[in-house]
Structure formats: structure tokens, C-alpha cells
Amino acid sequence: MDIRVEKATTLKPLPDPNTLVFGKSFTDHMFLMNYDAGQGWHDARIVPYGPIALEPCAMVFHYAQEVFEGLKAYRAPDGGVRLFRPTENARRFQSSCERLCIPTIPEEDFVAAVRAAVKADERWVPDQPGTSLYIRPFVIATDASLGVHASHSYIFSIICCPVGAYYKEGLNPVKIYVEDEDVRAVRGGTGFTKCGGNYAASIRAGERAEEKGFSQVLWLDGVERKYIEEVGAMNVLFKIDGKVVTPKLTGSILPGVTRRSCLDLLRDWGYVVEERLITAQELFDAAESGKLEEAWGSGTAAVISPIGTLAWGGKSVEINGGQIGPLSQKLYDTLTGIQWGTEPDPYGWSVEL
Ligand SMILES: *Cc1c(COP(=O)(O)O)cnc(C)c1O
């Protein structure tokens, strides 16, 4: 893939890394590539960051034929920039595209595009502890037509924004409640893809959770409404009676790169890891008998987000006294050490730009 580079003529001042708000300030450039039926993907280019002009009838606005990814670039102590398992994102992007009838992009082209986007704006990768450059690849259907069918034209883009430290004062456990009204996804639907539509369906529950003083919701499966699926927009893992248990990937759950990395590390450390169905009832029973030792969400943004309080119906349980548990902390330290290049990486997960 040839990537044409058109440099911005004036560069923006870099924002203050101490006051960065996630997703508000974007870098100087963006990656763009077009797809047209008969021509395939073409015109890969880096151009100055700016608006994309679309017809009001463009398909993405009406039928949400769109998927995205999320990963980060990290500044290592030697000044170099690193990516974390970008090929995993490339694969997941392909599987999301297939489900949404969007033409796929070869893994190596996806990774090359991510590298080109970050290289064009390398000066934007912050170097304060805990900071990084968030990378958002996405593809949208651009056919100028209201007919419901797969679009014949698409735009693939990558935009980047610097992000501040997620945890400024240590890892604060969050309060979560079990959502038993709205569901995020069902088997046979798009739950396993990273598509915007999944988020649209999840916003209401998230807003209600905040109104009630919780950070996020614990999603149940959409059919029986009893099995745990995810927490907010993160995967969820539990330590119950010494074992680590996480919902298995049934099709309605997003296969997180952080989830997978946690499971790999845990197995390496000798833990028994179970990927299986787990009911909310089992979880609360374990909490009441003192066997629910730790609970945490996993995702690129927060890496590990410990759960301190779980509420369901009228019940509320505290996990590990509302404090982060030792295993959650070890996972966080190990993963962030590998990502920022401050710890050895025997797995080859962290790759140089
Ligand atoms: C992105 C995402 C995750 C986490 O995936 P990572 O690859 O670990 O960042 C989990 N659940 C949902 C719904 C997501 O969109």
C-alpha cells in the first residue's frame, strides 16, 4: 500500500498534558483511504486533520453501517514510540467489517495505516507518566442513497488524540449496578463487533447509571437476562475462590485485546482461568459467602478498572472492602509496564513504531 503524505502547513500548539480531556483535541493529520466498488481500496493518504464532506443521504447517517477500533501509542523511556498488539486490532476490525458487510482491509495494510498516522504526528505522543496517544481507526458507508443495502463506497480514516493519565491518584474502584432492563447485544447480532450501533443502544443505561450515582452498568445477556456479559464498554473478570472467571465469548461479547492479554498473563502465572457462562446470582452468592475476592473491567482506555461495589435490585455488595485487589493491581502493573516499555515483554506484544 502506497501512502501519499500531504503535510499540514501550520502545526497546532501541543495541549498541556496535565489537563488533557479524552477525545477533545486531535492531532495535525489524519489518515484517509477510499473504497469504491470495482476499484477496491485506493488513495491511501495522510492529510491535514479536518472535516469530511458527506451527502446528507450518506448511508452511515441512516443505517449506521460503521465500525471502529481503539488502540494507543505509548512513549517509552528511551524516547521511542510503541504500539500494543496492533495486529489484534487489525483482525478484530476485519471481523467487525465482515459482520457489517463492509469490505475488509488486509491486516498488514491496517497496521501500516496506523503506523503512518502515528508517525505523521509522533510529536503528539506525550511523555508524562500514564499518558498516551489514542488511535481511532473507523470506516463509514458513504453511498448517497437511502436504500437499505450494503454501500458500494466507503471511507476508512484514522484520527488520533493525546490522552492524559487515566488514574491520577491510584486505581479507584468504581460502583456498578446490574442493568436488568436494557440490553447491549444479543447472540446473532453485532455484540462481538466494535460498531457504533452497539454504543447507541447502550447510552441510555449508562446515563441512568450516572444519575443513580454509579459509574457504569453490568450488562446481562439479552435472552435469559441472567448471564453476565460486560461492564460498560469493558470486558469483565472476577476472582472467585482463587480462580479467575470471565464470560465466554458467546457472540454478544466484544473480544477485548486487554481481556485476552489478562487471560494469557493469568494462565502464565498459574491461575485456573475459566471462560464460561456466569450468572448474576452466582456472583452475588459468591459475594455473600465471601468467595468473590476481586472484580475488574478490562479495556484499552483504563487497562484495569477495579469494581468496588456491585448493586443488583435492592442488594449491594462491597468487593475486597471497596479497595483494589492484589491480582487486579498486578495485572495493571504488568500490562502498563509492557505497554510503556518499562517492564520486560517476553510475549513480543509491544512493538516499535
Ligand atoms: C473496545 C471494547 C472493549 C475492550 O476491548 P479492548 O480491545 O480491550 O480495548 C470491551 N467491550 C466493548 C463493548 C468494547 O467496545
Side-chain angles (χ1 to χ4, degrees), residues 68-70 89 92 184 191 194 199 230 232-235 254-259 298-301:
F68 66 93
E69 267 303 327
N89 297 92
R92 185 169 67 194
R184 191 191 78 91
K194 233 173 157 66
Y199 278 75
E230 300 201 46
M234 287 184 283
N235 294 114
L254 198 284
V257 179
T258 320
R259 170 189 185 275
S298 75
T300 297

Side-chain angles (χ1 to χ4, degrees), residues 1-4 31-47 103-106 109 113 139 142-143 152-157:
M1 183 176 61
D2 278 341
I3 304 172
R4 178 167 63 80
F31 178 91
L32 286 177
M33 179 159 75
N34 293 71
Y35 179 94
D36 288 284
Q39 214 181 341
W41 287 108
H42 63 92
D43 272 321
R45 59 203 186 274
I46 297 282
V47 294
T104 57
I105 294 172
D109 289 352
V139 57
T142 56
D143 267 10
H152 300 97
S153 59
Y154 298 85
I155 291 174
F156 172 65
S157 178

Side-chain angles (χ1 to χ4, degrees), residues 59-179:
M59 285 196 54
V60 62
F61 294 141
H62 307 276
Y63 310 124
Q65 208 193 354
E66 182 266 2
V67 304
F68 66 93
E69 267 303 327
L71 66 163
K72 285 172 168 179
Y74 308 86
R75 182 75 69 182
D78 65 3
V81 173
R82 316 191 70 91
L83 299 170
F84 184 74
R85 310 186 82 176
T87 310
E88 295 295 321
N89 297 92
R91 285 199 192 117
R92 185 169 67 194
F93 192 68
Q94 285 195 331
S95 111
S96 297
C97 283
E98 272 162 21
R99 177 65 183 82
L100 277 283
C101 287
I102 297 172
T104 57
I105 294 172
E107 272 171 36
E108 56 277 19
D109 289 352
F110 178 95
V111 175
V114 167
R115 286 177 182 281
V118 176
K119 274 202 180 114
D121 288 321
E122 214 176 317
R123 71 183 188 103
W124 284 81
V125 184
D127 62 2
Q128 276 75 6
T131 63
S132 57
L133 185 74
Y134 184 79
I135 308 163
R136 167 55 59 85
F138 65 102
V139 57
I140 53 174
T142 56
D143 267 10
S145 153
L146 291 182
V148 180
H149 60 78
S151 182
H152 300 97
S153 59
Y154 298 85
I155 291 174
F156 172 65
S157 178
I158 302 174
I159 54 176
C160 303
C161 55
V163 291
Y166 199 90
Y167 297 106
K168 289 200 179 70
E169 296 132 14
L171 281 78
N172 278 331
V174 292
K175 288 173 72 178
I176 299 292
Y177 83 89
V178 179
E179 170 63 51

